[in-house]
């Protein structure tokens, strides 16, 4: 194997690197590993590449980061060549882009599709990871990279009677490839997160009647999607390199939004209204959060933005009871993932759409013919579960990962994730994560986060090659400090106030710990660079 000269003491491995996942993270990992001269093989459960963008085919599925930003940055040629038709990419457009990249870099041949990794076991004596798959494969490599995604474990709540429903049922994250025609059907949809909010206007156009079961109202801002403005595309492409570089110096990994200079409470009510109105007109979530410096730090400041959004909801939704139900009141704006919509609130003005208050009249069970709440029974031909994911830790915990006695991922993460930088875990040598918990991944432009992580991992492996190391492990003390630091950073913000999937709050019994790093991409990248400059501070290398 090429990974390092001293590995001649190791038994022969099948590959230098095993990659788990064939989405944006897995593909970029393959690319970088091959650039290092390493042999790598990726294993992907889906029948195609693309990860999130392969599975989430529900109507209306679209990215909430602008398409000129939401793309790989490593190839100037690629970003110049590619044309995005819309301001925000649709799922088919993004999947087409991913497939194009895979073909262009000739990566398909390194991915085993339709293959789910079941176990990953480390043998300390040989310094090898061995995986087993649902296809019966047993494959070994000294390094394993988990590019398993943060929102890749779809979840349907354990409603009594679920299996007895006689109509059609779908989860937004497992949408049939051939699409679904709801024309003339009575449809119920459970969930009003991003997936629900994006699909509801489309379902409403087809269904005979659509009942929307909302447990928690969310803050939803206009996307203002539009066909790509050619002049905007030209300007963006002319400055792509500078923009990509500048993105690393921003909190959310996206350049081009002028940072705010003052707090909401320092502004007059008129100034606040003017700022929010301008951002509302512009569309987008980061731009809105950038109205003032303190929106995620100070409850009173946050209330001014929340009040603005609630006023807009009341303006659009004609039925006042429905409007009040749609007004979020239980969390500060921005502390759950902000949702971008097209025609969501307007949809509730249609005669064939009814909002059901699943907070005060909770869903009690699924019946053979529909849904029963504490108030009444509804009859449906189809139920759509837009009920989210076991986020951030679900995909990793689904794999039986073991690195020796006492080092099983399920016990290590029993009280929430423990990582160093979201990239490695103490006790799990040579196992890397791409945008793992306690990294800024989900709180940033995901593809930038992927590239930054994979570049860090490639840097580690390059360092090991040149120094003759065979084994890298995060130090327990460095991990403990990182976990504590993450918590301190999060507690200084309003984020932990929301019952969000960031907190594990959407899964009954999941530990309540704020999982993403929210100190900002700029700070995180600086910390990573400092760690490398100090000879990979917090990591221990050895020859075997
Ligand atoms: O999932 P969610 P999602 N009874 O967890 C409800 C990304 N994404 O798939 O809030 C009744 O946000 C639950 O209610 P509550 C994005 O990061 C991005 O929509 O728990 N309701 C909630 O309304 C996003 O944040 C894009 O009270 C129940 C919903 O189901 C993340 O994926 C598009 C329930 C789940 O919402 C997840 O979004 C799509 C129950 N027992 C997704 N259990 C874009 O880029 C759950 N719910 C635009």
């Amino acid at each position: 194997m090429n990974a390092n000269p001293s590995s001649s003491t190791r038994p022969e491995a099948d590959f230098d690197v095993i990659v788990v996942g064939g989405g944006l993270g897995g593909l970029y990992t393959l690319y970088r590993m091959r650039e290092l001269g390493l042999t790598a093989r990726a294993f992907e459960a889906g029948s195609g590449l693309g990860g999130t963008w392969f599975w989430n085919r529900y109507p209306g599925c679209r990215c909430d980061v602008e398409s000129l930003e939401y793309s790989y940055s490593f190839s100037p040629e690629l970003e110049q060549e590619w044309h995005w038709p819309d301001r925000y990419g649709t799922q088919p457009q993004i999947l087409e882009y991913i497939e194009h990249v895979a073909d262009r870099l000739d990566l398909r041949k390194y991915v085993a599709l339709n293959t789910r990794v079941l176990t990953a076991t480390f043998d300390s004596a040989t310094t090898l990871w061995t995986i087993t798959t649902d296809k019966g494969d047993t494959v070994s490599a000294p390094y394993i990279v988990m590019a398993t995604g943060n929102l890749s474990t779809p979840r349907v709540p354990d409603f009594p009677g679920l299996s007895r429903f006689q109509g059609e049922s779908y989860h937004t994250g497992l949408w049939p490839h051939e699409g679904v025609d709801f024309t003339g059907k009575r449809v119920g949809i459970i969930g009003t997160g991003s997936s629900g909010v994006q699909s509801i206007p489309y379902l409403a156009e087809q269904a005979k009647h659509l009942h929307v079961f909302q447990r928690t109202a969310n803050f939803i801002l206009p996307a203002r999607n539009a066909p790509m403005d050619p002049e905007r595309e030209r300007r963006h492409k002319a400055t792509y390199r500078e923009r990509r570089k500048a993105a690393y110096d921003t909190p959310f990994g996206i350049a081009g939004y002028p940072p705010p200079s003052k707090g909401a409470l320092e502004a007059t009510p008129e100034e606040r209204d003017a700022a929010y109105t301008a951002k509302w007109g512009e569309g987008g979530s980061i731009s809105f959060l950038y109205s003032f410096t303190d929106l995620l730090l100070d409850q009173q400041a946050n209330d001014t933005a929340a009040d603005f959004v609630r006023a807009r909801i009341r303006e659009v939704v004609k039925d006042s009871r429905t409007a009040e139900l749609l007004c979020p009141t239980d969390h500060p704006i921005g502390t759950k993932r902000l949702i971008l919509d097209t025609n969501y609130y307007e949809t509730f003005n249609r005669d064939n759409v009814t909002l059901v208050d699943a907070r005060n009249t909770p869903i009690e069970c699924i019946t053979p013919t529909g849904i029963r709440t504490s108030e009444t029974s509804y009859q449906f031909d189809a139920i759509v579960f837009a009920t989210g994911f076991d986020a951030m830790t679900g995909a990793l915990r689904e794999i039986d990962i073991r690195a020796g006695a006492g080092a099983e991922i399920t016990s290590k993460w029993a009280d929430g994730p423990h990582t160093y930088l979201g990239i490695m875990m103490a006790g799990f040598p040579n196992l890397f994560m791409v945008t793992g918990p306690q990294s800024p991944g989900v709180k940033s432009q995901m593809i930038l986060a992927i590239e930054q992580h994979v570049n860090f991992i490639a840097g580690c492996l390059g360092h090991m090659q040149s120094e003759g190391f065979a084994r890298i492990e995060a130090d327990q003390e460095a991990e403990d400090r990182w976990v504590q630091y993450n918590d301190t950073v999060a507690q200084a913000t309003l984020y932990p106030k929301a019952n969000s999937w960031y907190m594990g709050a959407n899964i009954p019994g999941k530990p309540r710990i704020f999982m993403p790093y929210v100190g900002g991409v700029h700070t995180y990248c600086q910390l990573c660079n400092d760690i490398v400059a100090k000879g990979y501070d917090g990591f221990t290398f050895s020859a075997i």
Side-chain angles (χ1 to χ4, degrees):
M1 94 129 216
N2 298 319
N4 71 76
S6 67
S7 64
S8 54
T9 51
R10 259 184 197 145
E12 202 58 35
D14 296 306
F15 300 99
D16 295 329
V17 186
I18 290 168
V19 181
V20 187
L24 286 156
L27 289 175
Y28 186 59
T29 307
L30 275 180
Y31 172 69
R32 291 291 279 128
M33 295 302 110
R34 299 212 43 86
E35 264 197 341
L36 281 175
L38 302 176
T39 59
R41 176 61 45 97
F43 296 86
E44 164 57 52
S47 61
L49 302 173
T52 285
W53 300 105
F54 172 84
W55 295 104
N56 287 269
R57 294 167 187 250
Y58 60 83
C61 182
R62 198 183 272 282
C63 189
D64 58 3
V65 175
E66 295 196 37
S67 45
L68 285 162
E69 300 285 348
Y70 192 83
S71 51
Y72 287 121
S73 74
F74 66 87
S75 163
E77 295 77 33
L78 181 64
E79 68 192 7
Q80 289 298 328
E81 272 170 29
W82 192 258
H83 167 67
W84 291 101
D86 291 341
R87 180 177 176 188
Y88 298 93
T90 61
Q91 176 270 330
Q93 289 166 3
I94 298 171
L95 190 57
E96 188 190 345
Y97 167 78
I98 296 171
E99 287 179 346
H100 169 79
V101 175
D103 287 334
R104 209 184 133 136
L105 303 177
D106 201 16
L107 295 175
R108 281 186 195 271
K109 59 185 182 222
Y110 305 119
V111 187
L113 296 172
N114 293 307
T115 310
R116 185 175 286 281
V117 173
L118 302 176
T119 68
T121 312
F122 184 68
D123 180 346
S124 213
T126 57
T127 331
L128 287 182
W129 280 97
T130 300
I131 59 155
T132 60
T133 74
D134 63 354
K135 283 283 162 63
D137 312 295
T138 301
V139 181
S140 63
Y143 302 104
I144 185 163
V145 179
M146 297 294 186
T148 41
N150 282 280
L151 295 155
S152 43
T153 312
R155 173 195 163 260
V156 173
D158 196 11
F159 293 118
L162 198 57
S163 60
R164 292 201 323 249
F165 182 59
Q166 286 165 1
E168 307 156 34
S169 64
Y170 307 96
H171 188 286
T172 47
L174 294 169
W175 204 258
H177 287 204
E178 62 279 13
V180 184
D181 184 3
F182 292 104
T183 306
K185 293 186 176 154
R186 300 162 302 167
V187 182
I189 179 166
I190 305 173
T192 53
S194 300
S195 306
V197 166
Q198 286 190 327
S199 51
I200 283 164
Y202 288 83
L203 301 186
E205 275 177 20
Q206 286 190 342
K208 182 173 174 204
H209 199 99
L210 179 69
H211 282 85
V212 177
F213 292 81
Q214 172 194 271
R215 189 166 64 180
T216 310
N218 280 311
F219 287 99
I220 301 162
L221 308 175
R224 309 269 179 234
N225 184 46
M228 180 63 70
D229 171 5
E231 179 49 26
R232 187 168 178 180
E233 182 178 12
R234 192 197 60 71
R235 270 189 280 117
H236 203 105
K237 286 187 169 176
T239 53
Y240 236 143
R241 293 291 85 204
E242 296 91 303
R243 283 170 178 270
R244 298 287 201 190
K245 194 160 170 288
Y248 282 94
D249 286 328
T250 64
F252 300 110
I254 301 180
Y257 300 108
S261 55
K262 76 167 158 184
L265 302 178
E266 297 167 87
T268 64
E270 294 73 26
E271 283 172 327
R272 282 199 294 264
D273 200 54
Y276 296 140
T277 303
K279 304 292 187 157
W280 187 263
E282 234 172 75
S285 54
I286 292 178
S287 139
F288 192 84
L289 287 175
Y290 264 22
S291 301
F292 296 102
T293 52
D294 49 1
L295 295 186
L296 291 171
L297 302 174
D298 184 290
Q299 182 65 59
Q300 250 187 303
N302 188 285
D303 288 343
T304 65
D307 286 343
F308 177 88
V309 174
R310 286 188 283 259
R312 301 289 77 73
I313 297 169
R314 292 180 184 117
E315 271 171 11
V316 175
V317 180
K318 292 187 184 137
D319 176 66
S320 59
R321 182 181 164 271
T322 304
E324 282 318 302
L325 269 181
L326 288 167
C327 283
T329 50
D330 81 323
H331 62 282
I333 185 169
T335 55
K336 290 175 85 174
R337 174 86 173 197
L338 276 172
I339 300 174
L340 298 188
D341 84 308
T342 302
N343 290 332
Y344 179 67
Y345 291 121
E346 289 81 353
T347 298
F348 291 92
N349 293 333
R350 296 176 64 112
D351 292 337
N352 70 333
V353 176
T354 305
L355 183 65
V356 180
D357 179 357
R359 164 80 53 200
N360 290 312
T361 56
I363 296 171
E364 286 189 339
C365 64
I366 307 292
T367 67
T369 53
I371 294 176
R372 193 167 77 220
T373 67
S374 60
E375 189 178 51
T376 189
S377 285
Y378 299 86
Q379 313 296 311
F380 296 124
D381 303 304
I383 299 178
V384 175
F385 294 95
T387 44
F389 303 86
D390 184 352
M392 303 195 70
T393 54
L396 281 163
R397 287 176 56 109
E398 268 194 354
I399 303 171
D400 185 2
I401 305 175
R402 292 168 190 263
E408 298 107 31
I409 191 147
T410 39
S411 49
K412 181 168 176 85
W413 285 7
D415 64 350
H418 294 257
T419 77
Y420 183 37
L421 300 174
I423 293 179
M424 289 200 91
M425 294 177 282
F428 293 77
N430 292 10
L431 179 149
F432 298 93
M433 292 170 286
V434 179
T435 69
Q438 289 146 357
S439 85
V442 294
K443 292 304 302 166
S444 63
Q445 200 275 83
M446 189 48 93
I447 304 183
L448 174 144
I450 285 169
E451 288 185 325
Q452 190 268 346
H453 272 205
V454 175
N455 291 341
F456 185 95
I457 295 165
C460 274
L461 295 185
H463 175 71
M464 292 173 76
Q465 277 179 322
S466 61
E467 298 296 320
F469 293 129
R471 178 180 167 125
I472 172 174
E473 186 174 347
D475 299 342
Q476 186 63 56
E477 198 221 330
E479 179 178 281
D480 292 345
R481 260 189 287 121
W482 184 253
V483 173
Q484 181 58 50
Y485 166 65
N486 262 267
D487 194 50
T488 307
V489 172
Q491 295 306 330
T493 70
L494 299 175
Y495 281 110
K497 288 194 167 197
N499 288 322
S500 61
W501 56 258
Y502 299 141
M503 286 289 290
N506 63 324
I507 304 288
K510 191 166 173 173
R512 297 274 179 125
I513 291 233
F514 192 81
M515 294 186 283
Y517 172 72
V518 282
V521 166
H522 48 353
T523 312
Y524 178 83
C525 290
Q526 190 55 54
L527 287 166
C528 287
N529 294 343
D530 292 348
I531 284 166
V532 174
K534 286 190 208 152
Y536 290 93
D537 192 23
F539 294 98
T540 296
F541 295 93
S542 58
I544 188 81

